[in-house]
Amino acid sequence: MTVDPTTPARPEGTPPIRKARVLVAKLGLDGHDRGAKVVAHTLRDAGMEVIYTGLRRTAADVVAMAVDEDVDVIGLSVLSGAHIALAQQVIAELAQRGLEDEIPVVVGGTISPKDAKALREMGVADVFGVRSPLDELAPRVQLLVKSDR
């Protein structure tokens, strides 16, 4: 058996870490997608499977795509300032389908500390501001992946 020295050792008996399937979504009228594409490429380069929705999706579109693609995490990229309303819509759509505890939602964009706190209180699993270091994205998203999915 060959051991890859770049792969961290797992304690015996623990399940292997499964790479995340992430849906990166742009909701509403926000037409600025450069950041979403950078995030998608960063996660893909970290070995994750990434599905990008394209622009101007609704919460129902995003949740339907998440279900169809069997994703582990939904990432919302919002630069329009509507992050609270859009995240609420996605979380409500997940709840309608009984998936609010199954698919965590993360939000990134121009988000004040006050709004980041409000997002977390409404059930958003993690918040990434515009200055979040790219090398932190994949590890933080990977922590949200449930091993039993």
Side-chain angles (χ1 to χ4, degrees):
M1 177 173 135
T2 305
V3 176
D4 180 355
T6 63
T7 302
R10 286 184 295 110
E12 196 169 316
T14 61
I17 296 172
R18 186 173 56 77
K19 289 294 184 178
R21 285 181 57 83
V22 181
L23 182 74
V24 175
K26 292 293 296 181
L27 287 98
L29 299 176
D30 182 358
H32 301 282
D33 65 349
R34 182 175 293 176
K37 289 177 179 177
V38 168
V39 167
H41 283 279
T42 299
L43 296 176
R44 185 203 62 206
D45 290 349
M48 296 182 181
E49 294 180 54
V50 180
I51 299 97
Y52 174 57
T53 66
L55 295 170
R56 297 179 183 88
R57 300 299 178 169
T58 66
D61 292 339
V62 169
V63 172
M65 290 173 83
V67 170
D68 289 346
E69 295 288 346
D70 192 29
V71 300
D72 297 297
V73 178
I74 296 173
L76 306 178
S77 173
V78 185
L79 294 175
S80 66
H83 41 267
I84 291 177
L86 294 171
Q88 282 175 329
Q89 292 171 15
V90 171
I91 289 169
E93 188 71 29
L94 286 167
Q96 270 188 315
R97 294 173 178 242
L99 299 171
E100 66 273 20
D101 295 325
E102 297 300 314
I103 305 175
V105 175
V106 300
V107 179
T110 307
I111 302 168
S112 70
K114 177 182 156 199
D115 285 354
K117 182 178 183 219
L119 287 165
R120 286 185 179 95
E121 287 172 353
M122 76 170 59
V124 169
D126 206 346
V127 178
F128 299 91
V130 292
R131 302 275 185 252
S132 294
L134 291 177
D135 61 350
E136 289 183 9
L137 298 180
R140 286 169 59 183
V141 168
Q142 186 65 47
L143 287 173
L144 300 173
V145 176
K146 297 179 181 181
S147 60
D148 61 347
R149 281 199 77 215

